[in-house]
Amino acid sequence: MFEELTAEADRLLAEALDASDERDPRDYYRSQLKELRVSNPEGYDAAIEYYQNKLIPPIASGEVEPLIAWMEYGKFLAESFTPGQTVSINQSGESHPYDPTTTSGKLVLHIPESGKGGRAILVGLPSELSPAQRATYDVLVSGKHRMSG
């Protein structure tokens, strides 16, 4: 039964991705899950529970828009690593409070709380980053502090 729900949710996500300017986040989220399993087993269990009960069934039934639901899952994963604030970065590099309904074309990052250390965690990527978004990603997520030439 769950396999059928997953197949339908995947189909609906594929349709939404085809109609949008967004990248498929699932591979990146799988990498985060692998890291979470090692660093925070309780968080990993909670992420699996969320996936099985709060992500796939509502997408498959058409209750939620797939891209928004997946973005919320990415935010949940990021918060499992560290407390902080999730923000969206528009094409000019301006930061705005996270709103899952307005993230199209924006870079979405989870910024750790002050004093918690660590880099920003990627939540969502548009299909192409603007130069300002690329610079933000390079500094906050990748930790690069030199201009690439």
Side-chain angles (χ1 to χ4, degrees), residues 66-82:
L67 292 173
I68 291 173
W70 276 99
M71 189 72 63
E72 286 290 291
Y73 184 62
K75 181 178 183 283
F76 178 85
L77 289 174
E79 290 171 342
S80 297
F81 286 101
T82 185

Side-chain angles (χ1 to χ4, degrees), residues 15-47:
E15 285 180 4
L17 287 167
D18 286 345
S20 77
D21 187 32
E22 305 303 311
R23 292 187 193 185
D24 188 337
R26 292 175 293 181
D27 285 339
Y28 181 70
Y29 294 163
R30 281 185 200 105
S31 296
Q32 285 184 323
L33 277 170
K34 288 177 186 176
E35 186 179 330
L36 194 59
R37 183 172 24 193
V38 173
S39 67
N40 180 352
E42 296 82 20
Y44 173 81
D45 290 344

Side-chain angles (χ1 to χ4, degrees), residues 108-127:
V108 180
L109 302 175
H110 183 74
I111 310 296
E113 284 181 358
S114 180
K116 297 292 183 186
R119 295 188 181 133
I121 299 170
L122 178 65
V123 175
L125 277 173
S127 61

Side-chain angles (χ1 to χ4, degrees), residues 85-89 95-100 102-103 106:
Q85 180 181 4
T86 303
V87 298
S88 61
I89 310 296
S95 172
H96 299 278
Y98 168 76
D99 175 354
T102 63
T103 59
K106 295 179 181 168

